Amino acid sequence: MKTSSLAIFSLAAMALSAKSAELVCPSGLVVRQTAETPTGWTAFDAAAEREHPFHIAEISEGPPQRRILLMPTREIKQGKNKALVYDLGSIRQPWLICSYTDTSLTLSRSLPAHTRRCTFVLDHATNYASVKQMGCE
């Protein structure tokens, strides 16, 4: 079983090495907030203009406003490494959704029609709560 897991993880690593740079989430997102302040109050944003680092990626069927998030097809574990694989062959309109720390704003884009698989390698240092490497083919 270990040999099989190693082979699968190696395939995931190969898929990542063949990734298209345009399908990688931007490393950060600058968010500018505004507020409707009640009379007599002044709004101040202590985190104004700071960049929110990339955190996690998801795949949806259609634009994220439709809220049809996909579950990974499989999870690959090898030692401390863990990857989520999304096989998209039957998905008509896959979208990549990029989430950032400390903000509810996300970035998203439609994936090219020929995209058949996305692999997200999770970061062991964050207890697998964030993506450290990703790729779609």
Side-chain angles (χ1 to χ4, degrees):
M1 186 69 171
K2 286 186 178 182
T3 304
S4 175
S5 294
L6 181 59
I8 292 172
F9 205 83
S10 295
L11 289 174
M14 288 178 8
L16 288 173
S17 66
K19 69 184 176 185
S20 169
E22 68 188 58
L23 296 178
V24 174
C25 290
S27 63
L29 177 66
V30 175
V31 176
R32 292 177 186 87
Q33 296 187 93
T34 61
E36 292 185 23
T37 56
T39 304
W41 292 88
T42 301
F44 170 72
D45 184 0
E49 304 281 326
R50 85 173 168 98
E51 185 173 85
H52 299 267
F54 170 65
H55 178 66
I56 198 82
E58 298 176 286
I59 302 289
S60 68
E61 184 164 356
Q65 296 85 338
R66 291 181 55 201
R67 300 189 189 276
I68 305 175
L69 292 177
L70 303 177
M71 295 297 293
T73 309
R74 64 186 173 279
E75 182 178 294
I76 303 168
K77 294 181 184 178
Q78 178 63 38
K80 291 184 177 182
N81 297 314
K82 186 187 288 188
L84 302 177
V85 179
Y86 293 81
D87 290 315
L88 305 174
S90 64
I91 306 302
R92 292 190 339 212
Q93 190 185 17
W95 280 63
L96 174 63
I97 302 170
C98 305
S99 296
Y100 296 83
T101 57
D102 300 326
T103 182
S104 60
L105 291 176
T106 61
L107 295 177
S108 60
R109 66 178 294 173
S110 178
L111 294 173
H114 65 273
T115 306
R116 295 292 165 236
R117 176 177 296 120
C118 289
T119 303
F120 304 150
V121 176
L122 303 179
D123 189 354
H124 175 263
T126 64
N127 200 27
Y128 308 111
S130 64
V131 173
K132 71 175 182 179
Q133 189 176 10
M134 61 186 299
C136 296
E137 56 181 311

